[in-house]
Amino acid sequence: MKYHIVVVGGGPAGASASYHLSKLGFKVALLEKESLPRFKLCAGCLSARTLKLLPEGYKTLILNTIKGGKLGYRGLEDYYVPADKEVAYIVDRKDFDYFLVRKSIEAGTELIQAEFIGFEREKEAYKVYTSKGTLIADFIIGADGAHSKVARLLGYKPKGFKSLEFFTEGDLREEVIIEIGWVKRGYLWVFPHGEGISVGVATTGDENLLKILKEYSLLKGIKYRHPKGWHIPFPHKEPFLGRDRILLLGDAAGMTDPLLGEGIYYALWAGKILSQALLENPAEPTKAYKRLLKPLIEELNKAKRIGDIAYRFQKVAYNMGRDYALKNFYKVLVGDKSYRELYWKGWFSFIKHLKI
Ligand SMILES: Cc1cc2nc3c(=O)[nH]c(=O)nc-3n(C[C@H](O)[C@H](O)[C@H](O)COP(=O)(O)OP(=O)(O)OC[C@H]3O[C@@H](n4cnc5c(N)ncnc54)[C@H](O)[C@@H]3O)c2cc1C
């Protein structure tokens, strides 16, 4: 079967790209290897700015509304900073991702439940090998997540956080808890998840995350359950966007924020940009994609710089949270501020707290 575009992976990145491409009139096949709806390890936290990127009908998917956050240091001390607005929302990834895929099917995408195996270039098109046969496409979009086969075939292996997470009972409803001081570069979280909570930890280092989660749970009286692990890839310099007429986005491209590992917002945003790039310059889509994606890349770069400093000076970052960082971070989450502004203005507060 011949398509304009074969999108590999039915997570937020692939669903967003296929939704926008189908709306533009491209003939799109979306390949997903798991039977849908499928489980995805994730805290399911959507920053408020994400809502503007969602198709209509998402409201019933929201399990919790976040109105503030607690910042803790090594489980020893913490403080709560309320937000002026709703800053984030919690969804269950199984339902959320399935909703996005159904929206893209409504827009005209053909869902093929099969595994992507590989590809071969044939003149101006690609032969796409799947577990259920061969497809022909003008373009391939790699949205197959942190362990992307498309990226690997192009020679790219993203790096980033390794993480562990479990879901358990808990009575958090409208706030999140972020704990620093537990790992060298990364953090521990407790987020509400409907009637329960998710507890997780992410790091770029080689700490024993299982031990840390057990220790934290014991300290806070949280019912510990055996966690699952997954990677949260972020760019060390720039995301890998692909080559020729093969484009990458989402975790496959290493497109999560290196400060906290937020990936859904960037995956959805990149899907929209990618569709514009293909429309604008189908002969050299990577060129247009790279240019249109600059604001997103700039945000990831600044988030990385903030992360590098905040995790190096964790006690200073903890103290900064009280009077500068959290309130301003909320502004980033709702889309009133960029990481760029947070980074430059944060220097004054950082120096003040460093002196203290
Ligand atoms: C523990 C944890 C907590 C997180 N918490 C948050 C959070 O609260 N908020 C946030 O914004 N981000 C969070 N993230 C990051 C977020 O989950 C990812 O950034 C996001 O899922 C990226 O979407 P994606 O579509 O690129 O990849 P994925 O969601 O991983 O989707 C990839 C899809 O491709 C499919 N696939 C893979 N290989 C193939 C193949 N060969 N053939 C066909 N299909 C294939 C997979 O089955 C999957 O459905 C978290 C991540 C982890 C690990």
Side-chain angles (χ1 to χ4, degrees), residues 9 11-13 32-33 38 40 42-43 45 93 116 251 262-264:
E32 171 54 55
K33 71 178 165 95
R38 58 97 179 91
K40 163 76 178 82
C42 182
C45 188
R93 284 295 301 274
F116 166 83
D251 280 12
E262 178 184 14
I264 301 167

Side-chain angles (χ1 to χ4, degrees), residues 156 158-161 204 234-239 254 258 301 304 308:
Y156 176 68
K159 295 177 186 158
F161 295 111
T204 57
F234 63 76
H236 282 252
K237 281 195 181 132
E238 294 212 337
N301 283 342
K304 172 140 190 330
D308 288 346

Side-chain angles (χ1 to χ4, degrees), residues 8-14 31-34 36 38 40-46 93 97 114-117 143-147 149 163-165 189 191 230-232 249-252 256 261-265 267:
V8 184
L31 280 184
E32 171 54 55
K33 71 178 165 95
E34 303 290 335
L36 297 177
R38 58 97 179 91
K40 163 76 178 82
L41 190 72
C42 182
C45 188
L46 306 179
R93 284 295 301 274
D97 290 17
E115 184 170 354
F116 166 83
I117 311 279
D144 45 345
H147 302 281
K149 189 154 198 181
S163 68
L164 287 184
E165 185 184 37
W189 72 85
F191 286 4
W230 198 246
H231 285 92
I232 311 178
L249 79 162
D251 280 12
T256 71
E262 178 184 14
I264 301 167
Y265 170 66

Side-chain angles (χ1 to χ4, degrees), residues 103-164:
K103 282 289 170 183
S104 107
I105 294 170
E106 271 172 35
T109 297
E110 186 182 332
L111 172 67
I112 302 177
Q113 298 247 208
E115 184 170 354
F116 166 83
I117 311 279
F119 68 88
E120 214 174 353
R121 185 144 182 184
E122 203 182 57
K123 294 180 190 151
E124 287 310 299
Y126 293 100
K127 271 184 172 173
V128 182
Y129 301 115
T130 84
S131 55
K132 292 192 182 155
T134 304
L135 312 172
I136 306 291
D138 296 327
F139 304 93
I140 298 174
I141 310 286
D144 45 345
H147 302 281
S148 165
K149 189 154 198 181
V150 179
R152 252 184 298 139
L153 289 174
L154 295 181
Y156 176 68
K157 196 169 176 285
K159 295 177 186 158
F161 295 111
K162 59 176 183 173
S163 68
L164 287 184

